[in-house]
Amino acid sequence: MTSSATTESTRATALELLRRIAAGDPAGIAELFAEQVDWAIAANPAVPWIRPRATRADVADHFRELGEGQSPDPAGTSVDAVVADGQDAMIAGQLAGTVRTTGKTFRSPFAARLTVEDGLITGYRVYEDSLAIAAACTP
């Protein structure tokens, strides 16, 4: 695949990931990931859905637990940029939601870096204000 074709394929995968996340489809989200995933989100014991993951099944569990644990705030959540270059994509925006067990809200800027190989996400790194989310999870 040419570099521009690879970039377009990576961008299409990133956009499809965003569409499936917005639809709240954990199984569909997981289908976009390779069987083994290089996964990193800063873990915090106060946030039950944020922990190490390594497989496609783990990805489905993460997004299922995320959906069970918090209610997103569509008015406060946005994607501000999606940039792709070769196998890498960066997504930047704002997260907002309410933790179901505490009723507390959170807001956080975020950036996600994806690595896409053969149409599947093999690398997933999320950078967010994990302390703000942990504070919302704490009674």
Side-chain angles (χ1 to χ4, degrees):
M1 200 180 294
T2 67
S3 178
S4 64
T6 299
T7 295
E8 287 308 310
S9 175
T10 297
R11 180 174 174 73
T13 300
L15 293 172
E16 182 61 17
L17 174 65
L18 291 170
R19 188 191 70 73
R20 293 184 189 191
I21 289 172
D25 179 12
I29 294 165
E31 290 172 354
L32 294 173
F33 284 78
E35 286 296 331
Q36 295 295 310
V37 181
D38 180 12
W39 178 281
I41 302 175
N44 187 311
V47 185
W49 57 85
I50 300 178
R51 62 176 187 276
R53 311 288 182 158
T55 67
R56 180 181 288 158
D58 290 341
V59 170
D61 288 343
H62 169 79
F63 284 99
R64 181 182 46 74
E65 293 167 13
L66 175 64
E68 292 168 354
Q70 61 93 33
S71 174
D73 172 6
T77 300
S78 65
V79 173
D80 303 325
V82 178
V83 179
D85 183 17
Q87 294 182 316
D88 295 310
M90 293 293 295
I91 303 168
Q94 300 291 320
L95 298 172
T98 301
V99 175
R100 294 182 196 276
T101 58
T102 64
K104 292 182 180 180
T105 61
F106 62 88
R107 293 191 181 284
S108 172
F110 81 91
R113 179 180 180 186
L114 312 178
T115 302
V116 179
E117 299 176 42
D118 299 321
L120 295 174
I121 300 167
T122 59
Y124 187 75
R125 302 238 182 284
V126 175
Y127 308 93
E128 61 192 5
D129 184 351
S130 59
L131 291 178
I133 297 168
C137 289
T138 304

